[in-house]
Structures are given as C-alpha cells and as structure tokens.
Amino acid sequence: MARLVMFCILAIIILGSAIMCVTTKRIMRAATFLLFVLFGVAGIYFLLDYTFLGAAQISIYAGGITMMYIFAIQLVSKRTLQGLQEHIKGSRVITGALAALIGFGTVMIVFFKNKLFDLMTPMSECTELPMAKIGADLVGADKYGWVLPFEFISIFLLACIVGGIMIARKEDKQ
C-alpha cells in the first residue's frame, strides 16, 4: 500500500512538473521543472528497487543533461531573453491540437492493428529482470547491447559542447 501511495505522489509530481515545463514562458523555470520530472522518474526507479537505473537517472540526466541545457540557456544573450514574449494565435493552437489528435490516432491504429492491447499481460504474470541482466545489456556490445548508442550519444554531446564554446567565443568582426 505504501508503494502505491508513493507511486501516486511521484506520478502527480511528474505530471504536474511536465505540464508546467511545457506551459511556462520562462526558460529557466522550464529547465527547473524538467529537473523535477527527471528526479521523479528516478524516484520511480528507486521505488521499483532499480537502484542502478535510479542513480544513473540522477547522475546522467538530472545532473548532466539538465546542466547542459542550463549552459545552453546561459549562452543566449540576456538581451534576447529579456523582452521575449510569444503571442499565441488561435490558428496555431488549432493546428497543434489537430496535429496531436492525428498523432494520437496514428498510435491507436498501430496499437489496434498489431493487437498490442491483447498482448499486455497482467502484473501477476510479469517476471522481474535481475539487475545483473539489465547492467549487462546496457554495457554489452552484442546484438542487443547499448554500448554503441551510448558512444554515439557521447560524441554528439561532445560536439554540442564544442559548438557551445565556439558560439561563446565568437568575436565581433568590425
């Protein structure tokens, strides 16, 4: 019962922070709400006794990626961020809502076509994966290993950092 209560609390925190992240007009507040979302996801990992994934979530995403977002925000000049107000047009809201409905319809068609709802198993039939298996899959180089995508992401993040430094060091040519 305590796990269910904790899950409900974390779900409310995650959903509330995610909604606030996408609806706020201040970019630093959006980054802060994103941080709360990532901490909430780590809390769910800890609730499921996946301590490795929870610690990785906090150190990599909540720590590293959020700090990189904040670094990118700080690279933008203050003059650009100071009177920035976006006026929402009704046509843009309708277009966004229509695009969201089309996307949701596409996902539902794929789910029903592939009978994914019929394949869902009840929680009593689910088997828990051992942490050693998850760790071996994350750093394995075999067919289903994730070491190669992690390396590509690290190279991409390094390129982003170098690009950020180049933008920050940009000199005015007069």
Side-chain angles (χ1 to χ4, degrees), residues 33-48:
F33 285 125
L34 176 66
L35 184 67
F36 290 147
V37 170
L38 295 173
F39 275 129
V41 172
I44 288 180
Y45 285 145
F46 286 125
L47 190 64
L48 294 171

Side-chain angles (χ1 to χ4, degrees), residues 25 29 34 91 151 167:
K25 292 184 180 182
R29 287 184 186 166
L34 176 66
S91 62
E151 291 299 323
I167 291 171

Side-chain angles (χ1 to χ4, degrees), residues 12-144:
I12 290 170
I13 290 171
I14 291 170
L15 289 174
S17 297
I19 290 170
M20 290 301 295
C21 180
V22 298
T23 57
T24 186
K25 292 184 180 182
R26 305 240 182 230
I27 195 162
M28 288 302 285
R29 287 184 186 166
T32 304
F33 285 125
L34 176 66
L35 184 67
F36 290 147
V37 170
L38 295 173
F39 275 129
V41 172
I44 288 180
Y45 285 145
F46 286 125
L47 190 64
L48 294 171
D49 291 330
Y50 287 144
T51 54
F52 174 74
L53 290 178
Q57 176 78 16
I58 289 174
S59 64
I60 295 171
Y61 292 107
I65 301 298
T66 306
M67 289 305 115
M68 219 168 71
Y69 285 155
I70 292 172
F71 176 68
I73 291 167
Q74 294 298 327
L75 282 177
V76 177
S77 69
K78 290 183 182 177
R79 265 183 272 136
T80 306
L81 292 177
Q82 278 177 354
L84 185 65
Q85 292 181 358
E86 184 174 331
H87 300 286
I88 299 174
K89 296 179 181 176
S91 62
R92 294 181 93 188
V93 171
I94 292 171
T95 305
L98 186 63
L101 285 175
I102 290 171
F104 181 72
T106 304
V107 169
M108 287 296 116
I109 288 170
V110 169
F111 273 10
F112 286 123
K113 182 179 178 186
N114 294 323
K115 300 178 184 174
L116 291 177
F117 290 117
D118 297 338
L119 297 175
M120 290 183 180
T121 59
M123 280 304 268
S124 61
E125 296 177 19
C126 291
T127 59
E128 187 172 329
L129 288 174
M131 202 64 211
K133 170 81 171 115
I134 294 173
D137 286 344
L138 281 176
V139 295
D142 55 343
K143 183 177 179 182
Y144 297 108

